C-alpha cells in the first residue's frame, strides 16, 4: 500500500505564512497535509507541479451562497477561482430562522439586497428547516466542492421574532431583543461562525423596504453581540452607510471590548457613505488603540456594476423605448435593439425616473450618463482602467456621442457586450489607496459577494484578480514601491489571515496537520476570462459568471475538485461548525 494518498511534486510552494516561496513536495494523507519538503514515499496519486506555484486553498469570508449552497454542489463561480472555503450569511440576509409563512418574504429580502433571482431561490430551496440549527443540518446533508461556514443573519432573526410587527422603524421590546439574543446564541452554539447585520439604505427588499436591522439601536446590536459571546465565539459582521450621526465606531468598539469578539465591517470608498474611507480606517484604529478588535473588509478592486442588455441594469433602462420592450424575450429584444429606427428613437429620448427610489437617484445618474466613469469590457480588460479608456474618451476618439457609443458596444458580440461601472472604490480613477491597506493587519481581503448580485456584479473572481493584477500585472504605482503586492503576502492575506479572522486555525497554511486544501497554479498563464450571463440557476434564473485560465488543479481535503477549470465531480466539502483547531500530527519518522 502506498504511503500517502497524494503527493504533489516539485511545486513552488507559497505556504501562506508570508515567508519566501520554496521548491518542494507536499504529501497528503486522510485529507490532511502529512509532510512538506523532499518526500521519498509513494502515493496513490502523484501530480507534477514543476514550474507551478502551489498555494493553500483560498478562504473567502464574504459571500452570499445561503440559498445556492442548499441545492448546488459545485458552488461556482467561487470554486472556479481557487476558493476552498466560503463564509456566507453576510450583511444580515439569509434564510434561517424562517417561520413557515415567511419564506417568500425572506426570498424578497435576498432578491432586493443581493440581486439573487427570487424565482431561482423559490424553486431551488426545499425549506426543510425552521430554526437556525435545522438550517445547518440541511446544509450539512448536501455534499459540495468547498467548505461552507455561515453567520446568523439579523434580517431573518428579526423577522422571526417580530413577525408582522417587523416594519421599517419597528422598535423591538426588551423581550424581543432577549429572544433575538437567544436565537443567535443557539445558532452560534450549533456552529454558526458569527452574526451579521446591514445598516445601509442601498440594501432594500424587493418591495423597496429597508432591511430589518437597518435602524436597530446600538443597544439591540450590543445585546446580540453579548448573546454571541455567551456561546464563546463568533464574528460580528456589518455592512453600513456609516452615517456620522450613527456613531457606528463607538458601538462597534464597545461591542468588541465588552465581548472580546472581533467586529468586521465593509470598508469602501462609496458615495453612499458619509465617512470617507480614510476616516473610516482612522476611526477603526482609534477604537483598536483603545482595546477593540475591529477589522476592515476591503475589496481589491472597484466594486463594479457589469452592465449588459440582458443584465439587471444598463444605461438605457430608464428610456421609454427600452421600458416598452423590457418584458419581452431576448430574441425579440435583440431584433428591436438592432433596428436602426428603434435605436434612433431610443437615443432621442429622455430618462424617465418616475417611481424610482429617490435615495438612489445619484446611483441611477451614474448608470445612465456617467460616461467618463464607464468602461468597455474588451477581452483583455484591465480592472484598473485609465481615464483614456472610458466610454467618454473612446466615443470622442471615434467621433460619436457617448450614448451612441455605449449603445453600439452593448450590441457587440451578438448583443453580449459589457460595460463596467465601478461605483465603489474608484473615485480616484485608480486603486492606489489599496496599496497601503493591503499592507496592514487590521484589514482583510473581502467583499467578493460570491453568489450575489447575480445580474450586476461578478467579483467572486477576486482571488484571481488579486494574483493577476496586484501580484503580476499592475503597472501603476503611486508610491515609491512597485505598486504591487508580493505573491507571498497576497497568499497569506487570502488564506491564512481570512481563516484566522473566523477562528479557522485548521487551514490557510501548507504545513503538516493542516487541511489539504491546495491550489496548483500556472502563474504565467493565470488570466480572468470575459464574464458572461448564464441562465442556469433554478427556474432559468440569470447570473454573471467568469472563469479563469491557469488553475491547473484545486484540491479540497486531499481530493482534486477542479482540473483546468473543470469540476471533477468530487464533493469533499463540509459544513464548518464553529472555530477549528489544527490537527497535531505525530512526528514523522
Ligand atoms: Zn454582502
Amino acid at each position: 500500500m502506498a504511503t500517502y494518498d497524494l503527493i504533489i511534486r516539485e511545486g513552488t510552494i507559497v505556504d501562506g505564512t508570508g515567508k519566501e516561496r520554496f521548491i518542494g513536495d507536499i504529501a497528503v494523507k486522510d485529507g490532511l497535509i502529512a509532510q512538506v519538503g523532499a518526500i521519498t514515499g509513494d502515493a496513490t496519486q502523484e501530480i507534477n507541479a514543476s514550474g507551478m506555484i502551489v498555494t493553500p486553498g483560498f478562504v473567502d469570508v464574504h459571500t452570499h451562497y445561503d440559498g445556492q449552497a442548499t441545492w448546488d454542489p459545485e458552488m461556482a463561480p467561487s470554486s472556479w477561482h481557487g476558493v476552498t472555503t466560503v463564509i456566507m450569511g453576510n450583511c444580515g440576509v439569509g434564510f434561517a430562522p424562517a417561520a413557515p409563512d415567511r419564506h417568500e418574504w425572506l426570498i424578497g429580502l435576498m432578491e432586493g439586497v443581493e440581486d439573487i433571482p427570487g424565482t431561482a431561490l423559490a424553486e431551488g430551496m426545499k425549506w426543510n428547516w425552521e430554526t437556525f440549527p435545522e438550517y445547518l443540518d440541511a446544509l450539512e446533508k448536501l455534499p459540495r466542492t468547498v467548505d461552507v461556514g455561515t453567520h446568523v443573519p439579523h434580517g431573518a432573526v428579526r423577522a422571526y421574532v417580530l413577525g408582522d410587527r417587523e416594519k421599517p422603524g419597528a422598535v423591538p421590546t426588551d423581550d424581543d431583543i432577549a429572544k433575538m439574543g437567544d436565537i443567535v446564541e443557539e445558532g452560534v452554539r450549533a456552529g454558526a461562525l458569527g452574526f451579521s447585520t446591514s445598516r445601509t439604505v442601498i440594501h432594500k427588499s424587493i418591495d423597496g423596504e429597508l432591511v430589518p436591522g437597518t435602524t436597530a439601536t446600538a443597544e439591540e446590536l450590543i445585546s446580540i453581540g453579548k448573546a454571541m459571546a455567551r456561546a464563546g465565539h463568533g464574528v460580528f459582521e456589518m455592512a453600513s452607510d456609516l452615517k456620522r450621526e450613527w456613531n457606528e465606531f463607538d458601538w462597534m468598539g464597545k461591542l468588541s471590548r465588552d465581548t472580546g469578539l472581533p467586529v468586521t465591517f465593509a470598508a469602501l470608498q462609496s458615495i453612499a457613505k458619509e465617512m470617507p474611507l480614510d476616516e473610516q480606517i482612522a476611526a477603526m484604529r482609534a477604537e483598536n488603540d483603545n482595546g477593540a478588535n475591529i477589522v476592515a473588509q476591503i475589496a481589491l478592486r472597484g466594486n463594479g456594476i457589469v452592465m449588459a442588455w440582458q443584465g439587471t441594469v444598463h444605461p438605457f433602462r430608464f428610456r421609454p423605448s427600452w421600458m416598452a420592450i423590457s418584458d419581452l424575450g431576448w430574441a425579440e429584444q435583440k431584433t428591436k435593439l438592432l433596428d436602426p429606427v428603434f435605436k434612433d428613437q431610443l437615443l432621442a429620448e429622455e430618462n424617465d425616473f418616475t417611481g424610482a427610489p429617490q435615495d438612489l437617484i445619484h446611483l441611477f445618474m451614474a448608470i445612465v450618463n456617467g460616461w467618463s466613469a464607464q468602461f468597455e469590457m474588451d477581452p483583455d480588460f484591465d480592472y484598473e482602467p485609465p481615464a483614456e479608456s472610458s466610454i467618454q474618451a473612446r466615443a470622442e476618439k471615434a467621433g460619436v456621442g457617448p450614448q451612441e457609443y455605449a449603445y453600439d458596444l452593448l450590441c457587440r458580440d451578438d448583443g453580449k457586450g459589457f460595460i463596467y461601472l465601478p461605483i465603489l472604490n474608484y473615485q480616484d480613477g485608480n486603486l492606489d489607496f489599496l496599496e497601503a491597506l493591503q499592507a496592514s493587519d487590521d484589514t482583510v481581503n473581502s467583499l467578493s459577494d460570491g453568489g450575489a448580485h447575480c445580474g450586476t456584479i461578478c467579483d467572486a473572481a477576486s482571488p484571481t484578480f488579486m494574483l493577476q493584477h496586484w501580484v503580476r500585472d499592475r503597472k501603476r504605482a503611486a508610491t515609491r514601491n512597485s505598486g504591487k503586492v508580493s505573491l507571498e503576502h497576497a497568499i497569506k492575506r487570502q488564506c491564512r489571515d481570512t481563516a484566522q479572522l473566523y477562528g479557522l486555525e485548521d487551514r490557510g497554511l501548507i504545513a503538516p496537520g493542516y487541511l489539504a486544501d491546495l491550489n496548483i497554479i500556472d502563474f504565467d498563464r493565470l488570466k480572468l476570462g470575459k464574464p458572461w450571463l448564464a441562465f442556469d440557476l433554478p427556474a432559468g434564473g440569470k447570473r454573471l459568471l467568469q472563469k479563469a485560465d491557469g488553475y491547473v488543479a484545486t484540491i479540497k481535503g486531499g481530493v482534486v475538485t477542479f482540473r483546468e477549470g473543470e469540476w471533477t465531480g468530487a464533493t469533499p466539502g463540509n459544513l464548518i461548525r464553529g472555530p477549528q483547531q489544527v490537527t497535531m500530527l505525530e512526528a514523522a519518522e
Side-chain angles (χ1 to χ4, degrees):
M1 223 182 83
T3 324
Y4 301 109
D5 301 327
L6 169 69
I7 296 176
I8 299 163
R9 295 277 184 202
E10 287 176 35
T12 300
I13 299 172
V14 186
D15 68 4
T17 59
K19 280 188 265 177
E20 203 176 323
R21 68 197 84 174
F22 59 95
I23 292 176
D25 307 331
I26 300 167
V28 173
K29 194 169 173 60
D30 300 329
L32 300 179
I33 295 167
Q35 261 206 73
V36 180
I39 290 163
T40 48
D42 60 344
T44 318
Q45 187 187 2
E46 296 216 1
I47 300 176
N48 176 1
S50 153
M52 319 279 172
I53 59 168
V54 185
T55 73
F58 303 147
V59 177
D60 187 338
V61 296
H62 196 117
T63 76
H64 294 280
Y65 288 107
D66 308 82
Q68 192 179 332
T70 70
W71 74 73
D72 173 25
E74 187 175 3
M75 298 289 284
S78 290
S79 59
W80 294 343
H81 294 276
V83 174
T84 51
T85 300
V86 300
I87 297 175
M88 50 197 203
N90 281 286
C91 302
V93 288
F95 300 111
D101 61 352
R102 280 277 155 159
H103 294 171
E104 236 177 280
W105 185 88
L106 286 169
I107 285 175
L109 185 61
M110 186 62 93
E111 181 166 21
V113 173
E114 304 293 349
D115 185 27
I116 300 175
T119 47
L121 293 167
E123 188 175 297
M125 283 197 294
K126 300 288 172 281
W127 294 106
N128 47 342
W129 62 85
E130 175 167 342
T131 66
F132 199 86
E134 287 166 0
Y135 173 67
L136 291 181
D137 292 343
L139 279 178
E140 197 161 48
K141 282 194 191 99
L142 187 76
R144 56 181 75 78
T145 57
V146 299
D147 279 355
V148 297
T150 186
H151 300 83
V152 184
H154 199 183
V157 173
R158 232 177 184 246
Y160 195 76
V161 170
L162 269 66
D164 292 338
R165 287 181 293 135
E166 177 56 61
K167 297 261 156 54
V171 180
T173 63
D174 288 350
D175 189 43
D176 293 329
I177 293 176
K179 277 190 189 137
M180 285 191 244
D182 289 345
I183 289 171
V184 173
E185 183 182 346
E186 176 192 51
V188 172
R189 284 191 191 281
L193 297 176
F195 167 83
S196 72
T197 192
S198 165
R199 296 156 73 72
T200 159
V201 295
I202 293 179
H203 283 177
K204 288 191 169 127
S205 76
I206 195 72
D207 304 321
E209 305 266 300
L210 283 174
V211 172
T214 306
T215 54
T217 59
E219 290 68 39
E220 178 177 340
L221 299 169
I222 288 174
S223 170
I224 290 173
K226 285 185 174 159
M228 189 157 66
R230 288 200 295 273
H233 68 91
V235 177
F236 193 109
E237 186 269 346
M238 178 189 71
S240 170
D241 290 342
L242 301 171
K243 291 204 186 302
R244 285 203 179 81
E245 65 189 76
W246 295 352
N247 296 318
E248 303 279 52
F249 289 94
D250 286 0
W251 69 257
M252 281 196 273
K254 179 168 167 39
L255 192 153
S256 176
R257 279 188 295 271
D258 286 1
T259 61
L261 298 177
V263 176
T264 181
F265 71 104
L268 290 155
Q269 274 186 349
S270 165
I271 37 176
K273 294 193 202 297
E274 254 181 37
M275 291 174 85
L277 184 59
D278 46 3
E279 203 181 310
Q280 298 170 32
I281 299 295
M284 171 184 81
R285 289 182 178 156
E287 294 297 328
N288 287 348
D289 287 345
N290 194 11
N293 177 11
I294 307 176
V295 177
Q297 301 197 1
I298 56 167
L300 297 186
R301 67 186 187 199
N303 295 61
I305 297 180
V306 176
M307 302 195 283
W309 288 125
Q310 289 182 276
T312 299
V313 289
H314 57 71
F316 306 105
R317 65 163 288 180
F318 297 104
R319 310 258 180 151
S321 291
W322 169 263
M323 290 192 251
I325 64 164
S326 64
D327 289 332
L328 298 180
W330 170 235
E332 282 174 277
Q333 285 177 344
K334 195 169 74 177
T335 310
K336 285 278 187 195
L337 291 166
L338 298 178
D339 173 357
V341 178
F342 179 88
K343 175 182 158 183
D344 287 348
Q345 178 190 316
L346 181 143
L347 291 181
E349 290 167 356
E350 298 286 329
N351 291 297
D352 178 1
F353 292 121
T354 317
Q358 286 308 303
D359 49 358
L360 298 182
I361 288 292
H362 60 282
L363 176 60
F364 294 146
M365 292 310 289
I367 289 169
V368 301
N369 64 15
W371 309 116
S372 54
Q374 296 188 15
F375 303 89
E376 174 178 352
M377 295 185 81
D378 41 35
D380 289 313
F381 182 66
D382 175 357
Y383 280 89
E384 191 174 358
E388 57 270 25
S389 73
S390 72
I391 287 184
Q392 181 76 42
R394 287 197 178 173
E396 272 167 31
K397 217 171 155 198
V400 297
Q403 52 166 330
E404 182 172 9
Y405 190 90
Y407 187 105
D408 290 342
L409 100 79
L410 290 173
C411 287
R412 265 179 231 164
D413 276 350
D414 200 33
K416 296 191 179 67
F418 287 104
I419 293 174
Y420 176 70
L421 166 59
I423 48 165
L424 308 174
N425 267 6
Y426 214 62
Q427 69 194 28
D428 308 338
N430 62 63
L431 301 174
D432 290 347
F433 69 98
L434 291 169
E435 286 179 36
L437 287 174
Q438 288 182 89
S440 180
D441 284 342
D442 50 15
T443 69
V444 288
N445 291 4
S446 183
L447 305 177
S448 85
D449 270 340
H453 306 295
C454 296
T456 43
I457 296 178
C458 191
D459 287 344
S462 292
T464 307
F465 173 75
M466 169 189 78
L467 292 173
Q468 179 179 329
H469 188 74
W470 281 105
V471 176
R472 193 187 66 195
D473 292 349
R474 190 166 190 258
K475 289 190 191 69
R476 301 173 174 218
T479 54
R480 269 165 291 134
N481 68 28
S482 65
K484 293 187 186 180
V485 173
S486 78
L487 176 61
E488 289 82 356
H489 184 65
I491 293 299
K492 172 177 177 284
R493 285 185 64 85
Q494 192 61 57
C495 302
R496 183 62 170 163
D497 293 355
T498 42
Q500 283 196 312
L501 174 59
Y502 280 83
L504 305 178
E505 297 289 345
D506 59 343
R507 66 197 70 203
L509 285 187
I510 298 180
Y514 285 84
L515 295 184
D517 295 357
L518 299 160
N519 284 306
I520 302 175
I521 302 169
D522 186 346
F523 191 49
D524 296 336
R525 198 156 56 84
L526 192 70
K527 186 174 191 297
L528 287 167
K530 188 185 169 189
W532 79 95
L533 269 165
F535 294 83
D536 63 348
L537 288 175
K542 75 167 174 241
R543 56 176 176 164
L544 273 163
L545 291 174
Q546 186 172 31
K547 280 205 162 186
D549 287 332
Y551 286 99
V552 176
T554 297
I555 294 158
K556 167 75 204 140
V559 177
V560 179
T561 45
F562 291 87
R563 273 271 192 190
E564 291 293 349
E566 294 301 317
W567 182 27
T568 60
T571 50
N574 295 306
L575 171 73
I576 302 168
R577 288 189 189 264
Q580 302 291 314
Q581 291 309 313
V582 64
T583 306
M584 296 308 258
L585 294 183
E586 286 167 41
E589 294 111 67

